[in-house]
Amino acid sequence: LAPQLSTKEGLTQEEAVKAAIEGAKEAEMQFDDIRIGLILCCMRGEDHEANIETVRVASKYYGNYVCALDLAGAEALYPTDLFNKEFELAKAEKIPFTIHAGEADGVEIVISAIDMGAVRIGHGVRIAGNEEVMKMIADKKIYLEMCPTSNKITKAIQDMRDYPIIDFLNKGIKVTVNTDDSAIERTTLSDEFRYLEKEFGLTKKQELDIFNNSIEAAFTTQEIT
């Protein structure tokens, strides 16, 4: 969630995060077999002060359901390196982070996200065909949060027959499969895996690799995993 987007009616970012934490607690009490972690999103745009506040709130609640930070929004309009201050602060506070990159813009924005210290990349599909960057991501064990239905809807991939997930797996990239915003995409993880099985021949062995990648990539503790 991006807490700064919940402040228009008078809430502070901290109040928005506290409300999300209370909701997470209630959900875990109701369902014994789930655990919830909250990733707080900074937003690409002009409001760096709001982003700094997001990082500060994340620092205050890190370990109390808040598990990481993110950067989302219009990649092509606001390059990743404009947000160095925010993520230098995140690193100083020892908060891990993912960055949306390589969905609406190209390879350079992915490289910037990795250079900034992201351990996960949201989408990353635009690195397809760039052998150097694919090898770098595989060697650095950067996790890709791939979202097939979302990429189809947003046309991040013009022709889904070219969707690179199998190539990424074959090159040793640590792929995960995700729904993105399931309220918009109207999908589930089960739907995503069925789609990948049908259209790309995703095997049970590859699915197991993806599940293991997801465990490794989760911003959580050894006790929970």
Side-chain angles (χ1 to χ4, degrees):
L1 70 152
Q4 63 187 265
L5 300 182
S6 297
T7 61
K8 295 179 181 178
E9 300 297 328
L11 282 177
T12 65
Q13 289 199 44
E14 183 172 359
E15 288 169 338
V17 171
K18 287 171 68 175
I21 290 172
E22 289 305 309
K25 288 179 180 177
E26 290 180 17
E28 289 189 349
M29 289 176 63
Q30 185 175 355
F31 302 100
D32 291 336
D33 58 346
I34 67 168
R35 294 294 181 268
I36 295 171
L38 303 176
I39 298 177
L40 305 189
C41 286
C42 298
M43 297 302 297
R44 296 180 190 270
E46 305 292 341
D47 197 344
H48 294 279
E49 289 186 10
N51 284 338
I52 293 294
E53 178 65 15
T54 300
V55 178
R56 288 179 176 144
V57 172
S59 178
K60 182 172 181 178
Y61 291 94
Y62 182 60
N64 179 15
Y65 285 92
V66 173
C67 62
L69 284 159
D70 192 1
L71 177 65
E75 295 174 27
L77 295 178
Y78 300 99
T80 304
D81 55 13
L82 294 178
F83 304 92
N84 278 316
K85 185 176 181 180
E86 286 92 322
F87 288 95
E88 285 300 321
L89 178 58
K91 286 188 284 189
E93 297 292 332
K94 295 182 169 54
I95 305 170
F97 53 90
T98 178
I99 290 180
H100 280 63
E103 179 192 21
D105 205 359
V107 171
E108 292 302 323
I109 203 166
V110 176
I111 295 172
S112 294
I114 294 169
D115 289 343
M116 196 175 288
V119 295
R120 288 167 33 176
I121 298 293
H123 301 284
V125 291
R126 296 291 183 90
I127 69 168
N130 190 309
E131 297 295 333
E132 182 179 352
V133 174
M134 287 190 290
K135 184 177 186 304
M136 177 178 67
I137 287 177
D139 290 346
K140 289 179 175 290
K141 296 180 170 56
I142 303 293
Y143 298 89
L144 291 190
E145 307 161 5
M146 299 192 73
C147 309
T149 295
S150 175
N151 295 157
K152 181 179 181 180
I153 290 171
T154 64
K155 299 191 184 304
I157 296 292
Q158 292 299 315
D159 187 340
M160 285 301 288
R161 290 175 296 184
D162 297 327
Y163 200 64
I165 187 167
I166 301 300
D167 189 40
F168 287 173
L169 286 168
N170 289 340
K171 285 183 166 56
I173 294 174
K174 289 185 171 291
V175 168
T176 68
V177 171
N178 309 268
T179 62
D180 205 352
D181 190 331
S182 55
I184 295 174
E185 276 74 30
R186 301 295 182 183
T187 189
T188 67
L189 274 178
S190 296
D191 290 337
E192 296 300 280
F193 277 101
R194 281 193 291 266
Y195 172 73
L196 293 171
E197 289 166 359
K198 179 182 177 182
E199 298 298 328
F200 302 100
L202 190 72
T203 67
K204 295 301 179 184
K205 169 62 168 61
Q206 289 169 326
E207 289 182 4
L208 182 60
D209 289 341
I210 290 169
F211 296 149
N212 285 329
N213 292 341
S214 300
I215 292 169
E216 295 170 8
F219 293 119
T220 188
T221 64
Q222 186 64 39
E223 289 74 21
I224 291 176
T225 56

